[in-house]
Amino acid sequence: VISNLEWVMGRVMHGLLMPKAAPAWYAGSRRITAFPEAPAESLLLLAHVALKVVNAEAARRFFIDGLGASKVLEADCPYAVDIGACRFQLVPADKSSAHLAEAWPGHFYIWVEDTKKALTRCRNVETALKTSIVEEVYNIKGDDAVDALVVQDPSGNNRFIVNQVPVGGMVSSMRQVLKGSAKEAAALAVIDVLHLVPAGALPAVERFYSHFLGTALVAKKQGKALNFSLGSALNQTLTFVEDDSLEMPGSEDVPEVCMYVLSKESLKAAFTKCAEAGIVEGPGKSWKEVEKRSEFQFTRCIDPADGTKTVMKLSHIIRAPDHKDWPIPKDAATRATTTGVES
């Protein structure tokens, strides 16, 4: 898995750094102030990732002192950090977190305000923790330039590609949908999360999201991506790439993601289909309960063409934007507010 992941990361880095292969939304040296319009069926926000960590304090230090994430002050999230509008729940390894995976099956791609400063911070964390953090430094534009970094967390389980936000007014635009300490933090956003799936599983994964969440996957140079868009201030993707070395899901330890759909109506439609398929988990088993909590969850992703075959295990928490933990300021303009569907 590691060798294939390194190959995939190499292809992704090539795509980001070589001008002829750059994704349409990556500006490089061009000045842009906002994200392009996303597909109409895009989900709203990739809001959090939960991972089990053996050394929670070291993990939090990596995120805050290294990547430039902001600390979450809520008492029920002692080791949570925010990278823009996306939260990383760093859950200490104990009996209560036995269901969570320590390693994300892929990597994270984030934007920071200044990659040179990010490199300095990560080197300082290496010294403080006496462990390797920085794997690669890309100096494409010159020896003094830091175009991108590849770093790993202190456990060595999770990798991050770090790029500088495009020049222009993009920083100001992105900060408009942030609140609290995240608004001033050096790390601005989780732009893409890459998730490896077994060879041949991608068509079924695509059918799953289309049927149960009503959204299409979009083809990329590597794999296919689930789109998220708040509007002009933030676009994100969850990209699925096939890996020949992976087997069909069997482990009970899985990572967790939280996704926001556009409206309560979208939440009801997704819940109804998931409930009919028998994949809903947790306390919200009826629409009355889900409507009150404004969320439901599932882990088993099945192929709707078969009805029983599990093609991927990934814990999903699905929410509507009227949820109590909606991370965006209420007065911020998003696709939820501009379409008049946010409660």
Side-chain angles (χ1 to χ4, degrees):
V1 176
I2 295 298
S3 61
N4 281 359
L5 177 56
E6 289 173 345
W7 178 83
V8 170
M9 290 184 70
R11 295 291 298 275
V12 171
M13 292 305 300
H14 179 272
L16 291 173
L17 297 172
M18 300 302 289
K20 291 182 179 180
W25 49 261
Y26 180 67
S29 60
R30 292 188 295 111
R31 302 182 70 86
I32 61 172
T33 60
F35 286 87
E37 186 175 354
E41 68 273 14
S42 297
L43 302 179
L44 193 58
L45 179 68
L46 181 58
H48 87 226
V49 175
L51 295 168
K52 179 168 57 181
V53 291
V54 174
N55 188 333
E57 194 58 53
R60 181 169 63 178
R61 187 164 188 177
F62 161 74
F63 275 93
I64 296 175
D65 296 342
L67 296 181
S70 59
K71 182 178 180 180
V72 175
L73 301 178
E74 286 89 334
D76 60 339
C77 301
Y79 293 104
V81 298
D82 287 337
I83 294 183
C86 184
R87 178 162 296 179
F88 282 81
Q89 303 275 20
L90 308 175
V91 185
D94 56 29
K95 290 182 179 180
S96 65
S97 62
H99 64 290
L100 282 175
E102 293 182 30
W104 178 267
H107 64 254
F108 304 93
Y109 172 55
I110 70 170
W111 276 0
V112 298
E113 194 165 7
D114 189 315
T115 47
K116 271 190 175 182
K117 292 180 179 179
L119 176 58
T120 299
R121 291 194 303 268
C122 288
R123 291 297 190 196
N124 290 338
V125 171
E126 281 185 322
T127 301
L129 297 181
K130 299 179 180 179
T131 188
S132 177
I133 297 295
V134 179
E135 290 193 322
E136 297 283 349
V137 180
Y138 290 83
N139 311 103
I140 305 300
K141 298 174 185 175
D143 292 339
D144 294 333
V146 179
D147 297 292
L149 307 171
V150 178
V151 299
Q152 62 179 355
D153 65 10
S155 69
N157 285 327
N158 298 290
R159 284 172 165 170
F160 298 77
I161 297 176
V162 183
N163 237 169
Q164 188 161 306
V165 65
V167 296
M170 182 66 90
V171 171
S172 297
S173 175
M174 295 174 73
R175 292 200 193 282
Q176 288 176 6
V177 295
L178 302 179
K179 61 182 180 181
S181 58
K183 201 175 185 73
E184 305 299 328
L188 288 163
V190 175
I191 298 297
D192 179 65
V193 178
L194 186 143
H195 188 295
L196 298 176
V197 296
L202 195 51
V205 171
E206 186 171 15
R207 288 191 292 269
F208 173 82
Y209 284 108
S210 176
H211 177 77
F212 290 102
L213 295 188
T215 184
L217 269 62
V218 176
K220 298 177 69 174
K221 288 185 179 297
Q222 288 83 38
K224 291 191 174 183
L226 189 62
N227 282 286
F228 302 83
S229 175
L230 283 176
S232 61
L234 181 64
N235 284 3
Q236 301 163 293
T237 48
L238 173 56
T239 303
F240 297 97
V241 175
E242 292 186 346
D243 184 331
D244 292 339
S245 70
L246 292 182
E247 298 180 356
M248 295 307 288
S251 174
E252 296 303 316
D253 298 342
V254 294
E256 176 186 285
V257 293
C258 175
M259 305 174 178
Y260 280 83
V261 294
L262 190 60
S263 66
K264 209 56 169 281
E265 290 75 17
S266 300
L267 184 72
K268 184 176 183 179
F271 169 76
T272 299
K273 290 182 177 180
C274 290
E276 289 174 349
I279 62 174
V280 174
E281 302 171 337
K285 294 294 183 63
S286 69
W287 171 244
K288 184 177 180 180
E289 294 171 302
V290 171
E291 184 177 29
K292 182 178 179 180
R293 295 165 54 88
S294 202
E295 74 170 40
F296 72 95
Q297 63 190 73
F298 60 84
T299 297
R300 197 164 56 92
C301 301
I302 63 173
D303 185 353
D306 176 272
T308 59
K309 182 180 179 181
T310 300
V311 296
M312 179 177 67
K313 285 186 178 180
L314 175 62
S315 181
H316 291 66
I317 298 176
I318 309 297
R319 292 174 176 169
D322 64 343
H323 191 277
K324 63 181 180 63
D325 291 332
W326 172 241
I328 308 302
K330 292 294 183 182
D331 59 349
T334 68
R335 288 172 61 234
T337 56
T338 56
T339 53
V341 295
E342 185 178 12
S343 298

